[in-house]
Every structure is written in C-alpha cells, then in structure tokens.
Amino acid sequence: MSKLKLDTDVRYISGVGSARAAALARMGVTDVRSLLRHFPRAYQHRGKISALADAEHGEVGSFLVTIAAPPKTARLKGRMTVTKVGAFDETRNCTLIFFNQPYMQDVFKTGATYRIWGKVQMRIGFVEIVSPDYEPWYEGIKLPEFTPLYPLTQGITNKYLTKIIRTALDNTELTDEDDPLPLPVRERAGAEPLEAALRGIHCPDTYSMMDRARRRFVFEELYTFALGVSLQRRHKVEATGPVFRRCDMDRFTSQLDFTLTGAQKRVVSEIENDVCDPGAIPMNRMVSGDVGCGKTVCAAAAIYMAVANGYQAALMAPTAILASQHYADLSELFGRLGIEIELLIGSTPAAKKRKIKERLASGDLRVVVGTHALISDGVEFCEPGLFVTDEQHRFGVMQRAALAKKARGGLTPHVLVMSATPIPRTLALILYGDLAVSRVDEMPPGRQKVSTFAVDESYRDRMNGFIRKQAQEGRQVYIVCPAIEAEEKDEDGSSGGIVGLGYRAGDDDQPRLKSAVEYERNLREVVFPDLRVALMHGKMKPSEKESVMAAFTRGEIDVLVSTTVIEVGVNVPNASLMIVENAERFGLSQLHQLRGRVGRGKYKSWCILVSDSKGKTARERLDVMCETNDGYKIAQRDLEIRGPGDYFAGENGARQSGENGLALASMAADMDDLTLAFNCASDTLAADPDLVLPENRGLARLVDKFLDVTTGTAN
Ligand code: ADP
Ligand code: MG
C-alpha cells in the first residue's frame, strides 16, 4: 500500500471496501484524519494477566492458558451447539465454552498457548470461561498491553476498527504541518506531538503513555474551544440590540403567587437596565443561583418586558421534560396576563409544529418555550427580542452565534442564560469573559435543608426500609443510577474489567456500575412488589419519558428509578428522598443538582449517596456533599478537586460539541490547562486574527468544525 495522507479517503486503506466505508461514514469517519481521530472510549488491560486460582466468580480478566486436549463439540436442543475446550494455566484447570461456534474446534491446538479475555464462572469444582476473546501467544513476542474499545456502529466490529486504525497509523506520513497544534503552543503546553499522541491513544503500552496522549488531545480541545469562543466573542461586539422602554412591572408581579425575594427584585432590575440600555448593546447576562432559588420567575419577568415592548421571546430548555415543565408553569402565569404561549419540542405533532412556526414567523405568536428544536428546526421569528436558555453546565456562548442568526432587521436579540449550576467566578470569567452575571443569592422563605448522608452497601437493607417508610407516608422517592443497562458488553460478550477514558493514574478502584433497568426490575419484582415502582432513562422515547414524569408528578409513582435525565429542573414538591447509586461517578455539581430535586415542598427531605468506592478523592468529595448545601461552595470545591471538566459535560457526561471527541467531562482537565489554553489562544489570535497563516491551516479546520458543531444542533 502506498503511503497515506490525512486527507486520503478511507477506501484507500487496505481492508476497507465500499460497504465498510459507508458504515464508517455513519460514525463521521471518511478519511484517514477522521479515522485516526476516532478515539477509544475505553481500554481492556489485557496485559495484566491473572492466575486462574485467584479468579473470583464474575471477574473479568486476562489469563494465559494452554490447551489441554482437542476441543469437543456437542449438540444441544435444536440447532444449538456447545464447544468445550479444556485448558490450564500454572495454577489450575479451566474450560473455555463457545455456543454455536463449532468452528472453534479447529482454532485451538493442543499444547498451544493463548491469552484469553473473558468472564470467569465458578462452577462446583471447576472454572468456566464463556466465549472468551483469544489471542495466540508465543514465547518472546509481545501482545498489545491494552486493547482499545471503540465506539462502533452496525457492520463495524471492534477488531476490525482496531486493525484498520493500526494499518492507517503504520502507513500514514505525518509531518509537522499535519499537527493542528502550532509548535510554540505545543511547547508551551508541554503537549506531545500528534504522531506520538495518536500512537499513545490507540495503542498505548503503559498508563503513562495513555495519559500523555490523552492530555495532548484534551489540551487540543481546550485550545480549540478557547479559539472558538474568542472568535465568537469578537463577532458579537459589533451587534446592536433592541432598546426596550421601562414598563409597569407591578402588573406582572401582582399575578405571582408569591412576593419576589430581595435578590429576585435586584436581578430583575439588573435585567431591566440591560434591555433598556439606550446604548443598544444586546443583553448578555447569566442568572446564576442555587437550585430552587427561583431563577425562572426572573426569566419570566424578562419575557414579560420583551412582550410588553412588542417583541417576541423564546425560552429554551435542555430537555423536553424541563421544557414541558416550564411551559406548564409559565402558561398559567402568562395566561393570567393575557399572553399566549406555545410549547415546541421534538415530540410536538408535525401539524402543530408547522402551525407554531408559521405563527412565530408571522409574529402572531409572541412567546414560545421549547428545546434545541427552537434553533435547529428552521424556526424563524418575526420580531425576536429575547432568548432565554435554561441550561445546566452548557455554554450559552455556544448558542449565541446561532441565535444571532435569527436576528431580524439587524437587531440582535437580548440573551439571558439561567445557570442551574452556580458557576464559580473564576471559571465564568474565563469562559464567558464579557457575560454579566446576576446572582439570586437568597432562597425563597421557608426552605429546609436537605439532610445528606454518604453510605456503603452495608446500609442497603436499612435504606430500603427507609424508602418504604417514605412511600407509606405518602412521599415519593427518586433513585438515580449511572448506567441504563447492565454493564456494556463488547462484541465478544465479555464485559467489565475495562479502563474507562476517565481513568487517571492514582484512581483507586472502580466499583461496579448500577444499571437503572436491572435495579428497577429488582425493586419492582423483589424488594417492593407492593409499591408503585417505575423506570425512566435517556433511551426511552421522549413521549414515554414525558408520560412517566407526568405520572410521577401526579403522585402515581412511589419510587422512580432513573438515570440523570431527571437531573435538571424537575419539580415535584412531594418527593422527599433522593438516592444516588455509584455516587462516586458523579460530579459534585451534578450531585447537588440531583439533591435539588427534593426539599422543594413542605416536607423534610433526605439525600442518600451510595458508594462502595474506597478512593480517597471519592470519599472527600462525598463528604463535601454531606457538609454543605451551598451550591457555590460545592462548585468551588469541585473545581479544586476535579478541575473544570464537569462544565464541559452535556447530558450523560457526553461532550456537547462533537461526537467523536474525548469526553472532556471525564477527563478532569485542570484549571491551569484551561487558563493556559485561553492564553495561548489569545496569543495565536494576536498574531493571526483570522487564522489564515499557512501554519495555522490545520487549526483553522478544527476551529471551523468546532463552530459548526456548536452553532448547529447542540442537543
Ligand atoms: P430554580 O432557580 O432552581 O430554577 P425555580 O425557578 O424552579 O428554581 O423555583 C423553585 C420554586 O420556588 C418554584 O416552585 C417557584 O414557584 C418557587 N419560588 C420562586 N420564587 C419564590 C418566592 N420569592 N417565594 C416563594 N416561592 C418562590
Ligand atoms: Mg430551574
């Protein structure tokens, strides 16, 4: 095969035909560049060989076994077959078992040695390993230390992907110009060159190689992010916004069921000063405040100002559940004020969607609440005056360019971002720069502190007893699990034992993940057959999620087992107990969000964080949760302990701005790197403001891609 270049089409890699190329394209892999940037999501540490005698039931691991006798295949019911292969290592015997793979007969030769990877099943008196992965082992020839696990798609196996990535790595000429990180930046950041980093990420020999490679790509992302944000910021300065007249806010406040707190009044007047600014600079403000402090009503006040001035307003929420809830709350309030509002989410029927879009474009409809469908779905406004986004750790900046495109008559709408997670000041300054921040730093009267406890497995029975007691008293319970289904299986059916990309040298251990599906089934069928237990997770259809949530809101469900889909904004005042399983897996700010789902009504509320992690950092973090209910303190501590990675996470920890990037969320990139990335970006832009110099070509491409993604469908 002739030498490949980064721009070479994947079809020129040996082993890639047109069917495979089409499958790869579904994952965004079209050329050598995108193939090499298809990073593993985790690794199996197969170089760490265990002894069979030490293996425990259910353990997944790597074993070095020698075949004892020729394999035997037997027929089971119907067409099923089972092939059994007797093998041994230095410590004991075992049997490898393969179902419906009679050709395995011819694979294993008596006396040959294999490195196998699979799950150990202890039977009385013997050890079985079902459908292990196997690699022939020869004295003196080293097998790869880590096996990468790639995100896959139909028709593309992990083995295949590993092979073609290897081929691409071995046959691609990489020059210094191919590295999108300019040399001075790379040197300043102490980041590895592209070629070494690609090897380190795809076929590391050691953890430190893996870590160095990962750090380089994380830095590259931070730096690209910094450039993208800086470029967007520059674009924005030239904008002109609509100038509102001050209006009679008593009319608005008189329709509320409560009186605004001092903090809320202050925030509303800060908003008013922005939107009524005769300088016509569009507002760009974040309303930040702890969970439950009442940010929504501040946004509602801003919407009222826009409408009273003859403009349209939109409120965008990160999930359909949250958008529906905002809609329910706001339509009641605005109904009293004689202002019509509509809901536009993915599941809105097509005819209704069309109607809403028409009415927004004609100006007939003044207020809309929705999800990202609002920016991605070809929605046009007639006289847009205000966009409110209610987002979690997402970056308002990212949507701003997209929103600006919606401007009419040259006026850029005002933007208000409600941040459910109080973002530490240092980070806000770096990320948003010119974004003004209003703090709602006072809770509505009568709120109770949520008592928080960190417990381990030994409390399971007591905890279940407590759940029952709460349900019997008429309260409701949330249980959050980190995974949807039982541990992810790779293609060979083996599972677990993997090193996630979030792994950092020094992390102590990784307890087994609780899955919502299994957990819910067990609770419903075994533990609480007498209670109403239900399940909700991200893979369910939006309409299913909405109906579960609606049932929970009506009090028709006692115990709701879910993933973090309930994280943001859900408001059910009758819920009094939040349990988080594998609490070590969540960021502190995320835990704080989850905890904020309870204690929203008049009932005494609790939060129980369950974790079997013995890690020092994990314990320290959970202790922070138990000690304080102050979201700012928690966010600050999170930043100190974990770095700003959390703030880069979208729903379920996935990275917001791209499909194949490293999940920065789990990277725990540190604050120094982020600051450094911004400093480097500002130097780069000072020397080459539009990134047109030849040495910045690779960089310009990355930044373009970043801006594309972030202004497109972010959700
Ligand atoms: P968050 O800031 O977390 O988005 P919300 O805006 O959802 O909080 O408000 C939480 C709850 O507090 C809502 O039920 C809301 O009606 C109520 N609330 C907001 N402001 C006040 C207030 N000044 N007095 C009493 N209740 C309030
Ligand atoms: Mg909210």
Side-chain angles (χ1 to χ4, degrees), residues 292 295-296 322 326 390 418 420 568-569 597 600:
K295 295 180 286 290
T296 318
L322 192 50
H326 277 318
D390 184 5
M418 290 188 275
V568 212
R597 298 309 111 219
R600 301 177 81 85

Side-chain angles (χ1 to χ4, degrees), residues 65 146 205 272 283 350 446 459 633 661:
V65 302
F146 294 92
D205 287 325
E272 197 169 25
M283 170 167 73
Y459 283 78
K633 273 195 198 133

Side-chain angles (χ1 to χ4, degrees), residues 61 67 198 236 290 311 336 344 350-351 357 390 400 405 417 430 438 456 503 515 572 662 687 710 714:
I67 306 304
L198 285 172
K236 213 191 55 62
D290 214 344
Y311 285 94
R336 282 180 236 153
L344 186 83
K357 283 189 207 170
D390 184 5
R400 260 187 267 159
K405 284 194 200 141
V417 180
I430 288 179
S438 288
D456 61 21
Y503 172 90
S515 89
V572 179
L662 295 166
T710 53

Side-chain angles (χ1 to χ4, degrees), residues 336-404:
R336 282 180 236 153
L337 289 158
I339 298 169
E340 185 195 1
I341 91 173
E342 285 283 6
L343 176 68
L344 186 83
I345 54 180
S347 61
T348 307
K352 176 112 199 216
K353 253 188 205 162
R354 201 169 338 108
K355 183 94 193 141
I356 294 176
K357 283 189 207 170
E358 273 169 26
R359 297 188 59 211
L360 285 172
S362 72
D364 182 32
L365 178 65
R366 312 308 291 180
V367 186
V368 66
V369 174
T371 50
H372 279 81
L374 284 180
I375 36 176
S376 57
D377 234 15
V379 179
E380 302 249 2
F381 294 84
C382 175
E383 292 146 312
L386 171 72
F387 287 108
V388 183
T389 61
D390 184 5
E391 50 200 337
Q392 185 204 2
H393 322 143
R394 288 152 203 267
F395 296 127
V397 264
M398 296 195 170
Q399 274 100 40
R400 260 187 267 159
L403 294 175

Side-chain angles (χ1 to χ4, degrees), residues 617-633:
T617 319
R619 289 255 67 94
E620 206 177 284
R621 295 174 56 242
L622 297 185
D623 286 347
V624 173
M625 290 303 297
C626 300
E627 277 156 24
T628 178
N629 264 284
D630 180 332
Y632 285 92
K633 273 195 198 133

Side-chain angles (χ1 to χ4, degrees), residues 103-123:
Y103 52 86
M104 286 297 172
Q105 290 249 113
D106 307 320
V107 169
F108 297 100
K109 303 278 176 250
T110 308
T113 301
Y114 295 85
R115 183 171 82 176
I116 59 165
W117 171 270
K119 190 177 196 165
V120 174
Q121 315 242 357
M122 292 296 180
R123 305 282 173 229

Side-chain angles (χ1 to χ4, degrees), residues 551-571:
F552 191 75
T553 308
R554 288 193 303 266
E556 293 164 10
I557 293 169
D558 299 310
V559 181
L560 180 61
V561 180
S562 97
T563 53
T564 52
V565 287
I566 55 128
E567 181 179 20
V568 212
V570 174
N571 190 23

Side-chain angles (χ1 to χ4, degrees), residues 294-334:
K295 295 180 286 290
T296 318
V297 68
C298 302
I303 293 173
Y304 178 74
M305 291 176 208
V307 175
N309 273 276
Y311 285 94
Q312 291 169 296
L315 191 157
M316 196 163 78
T319 64
I321 293 174
L322 192 50
S324 310
Q325 202 169 294
H326 277 318
Y327 171 73
D329 293 349
L330 293 182
S331 55
E332 203 186 313
L333 172 62
F334 282 112

